[in-house]
Amino acid sequence: MKSRFLEVVCFLDAILRNGVLIDKPRNSNSSRLRKLLTVIVFCGLLYGIAMGSYAWLAGTRTFHDACLQMSYSGIKVPMLLLATFALTWPAFAVISTLFGLRDDMSLLTGLVMSSQATGAIILLSFSPIVLFTYVSVGHSQTTYSAAVLLNFVFFAVASLASHWRMRRNIKSFATGDHRHAIMLWFWVILYGFAGIQMAWIMRPFVGQPNADTTFFRAESWDNAYVKLMEIAKSLIFPDD
């Protein structure tokens, strides 16, 4: 058991330190890709459980009553990461081919999956802060909105940090080839744009204590960017 635990820790450390876990551009290395997928699911699951514990830790529901929301959130965080990847990858693959990077697709796949796993690990590292914040602030409409915004910020930080890691890895094998840098920025913009809207569609993640617990909300198909601006405005100007 101890050796297995150390193996997992070393693997997570390798993702954070090296990022790229595929040795050669033409080697799909399916075993390592499966491990990356496991990291995304497992770390996303744990962060989702922490994210969905707001009603319990804020004192508005018992642990038993809050378990359903925690379970839903635990399932939906890895779903969010993988669904956004599935949604954006075809466009990325097509544009990469048009840029003449088709021969690098297997390595680019490894880079993107490694970036996803890095983001999931970073999210998991934020979970103690999420739990501490929930316990500390209690519940009101303002603190609930702040909890939603806090998790949005953590997702943004995890995404930016993981893409920065991906950028460093691309530079290590594509020195002087600006096409890879252009494709990286295309991926960052595409993934970020789709990810924010996908997260809004898949809400609730935090869970409104005064509302019924549901896997998806009935009014899911709103504009995420408009709603986030409304939340930010309500925190800055609470009396408006």
Side-chain angles (χ1 to χ4, degrees):
M1 178 65 72
K2 183 177 179 180
S3 61
R4 182 62 177 174
F5 175 76
L6 290 176
E7 181 183 347
V8 171
V9 171
C10 290
F11 185 75
L12 297 178
D13 182 66
I15 295 174
L16 295 175
R17 287 177 178 273
N18 305 318
V20 179
L21 297 177
I22 292 182
D23 299 324
K24 298 178 181 180
R26 297 182 183 279
N27 182 4
S28 63
N29 209 325
S30 59
S31 175
R32 289 185 177 181
L33 287 176
R34 285 196 299 271
K35 289 181 179 180
L36 288 174
L37 180 61
T38 301
V39 169
I40 294 169
V41 172
F42 181 72
C43 293
L45 172 70
L46 293 181
Y47 181 78
I49 291 172
M51 192 178 183
S53 65
Y54 173 80
W56 171 48
L57 295 178
T60 62
R61 289 183 180 173
T62 65
F63 175 76
H64 180 268
D65 291 337
C67 276
L68 185 59
Q69 180 62 59
M70 293 163 65
S71 300
Y72 284 167
S73 299
I75 293 170
K76 288 196 292 183
V77 169
M79 276 181 61
L80 169 64
L81 298 175
L82 296 174
T84 305
F85 170 81
L87 182 68
T88 55
W89 181 248
F92 182 73
V94 169
I95 300 301
S96 295
T97 301
L98 293 176
F99 268 63
L101 301 175
R102 183 59 178 267
D103 290 343
D104 293 332
M105 284 306 297
S106 59
L107 182 54
L108 288 172
T109 300
L111 281 166
V112 171
M113 289 295 291
S114 180
S115 174
Q116 293 276 88
T118 300
I121 295 169
I122 295 170
L123 280 176
L124 180 58
S125 73
F126 284 138
S127 59
I129 301 175
V130 172
L131 297 174
F132 177 76
T133 302
Y134 288 175
V135 170
S136 302
V137 299
H139 171 64
S140 68
Q141 185 56 44
T142 299
T143 56
Y144 171 74
S145 297
V148 173
L149 197 58
L150 175 70
N151 282 281
F152 171 77
V153 170
F154 285 162
F155 268 92
V157 171
S159 181
L160 291 173
S162 63
H163 285 109
W164 174 79
R165 172 78 266 180
M166 182 177 166
R167 181 181 180 185
R168 288 189 60 186
N169 290 327
I170 284 181
K171 286 183 176 180
S172 68
F173 78 87
T175 304
D177 192 337
H178 298 295
R179 295 176 300 171
H180 293 90
I182 294 172
M183 286 309 305
L184 172 62
W185 282 112
F186 174 74
W187 169 258
V188 170
I189 294 170
L190 185 67
Y191 185 88
F193 179 80
I196 291 172
Q197 184 63 34
M198 182 70 74
W200 191 257
I201 291 172
M202 294 180 67
R203 73 190 194 285
F205 288 91
V206 175
Q208 171 61 265
N210 299 327
D212 294 335
T213 301
T214 59
F215 197 79
F216 295 124
R217 285 189 182 160
E219 68 279 12
S220 290
W221 295 94
D222 295 328
N223 188 307
Y225 301 94
V226 172
K227 295 297 182 180
L228 286 172
M229 285 189 289
E230 290 176 355
I231 291 173
K233 182 182 177 181
S234 69
L235 292 174
I236 299 171
F237 307 106
D239 297 328
D240 287 358

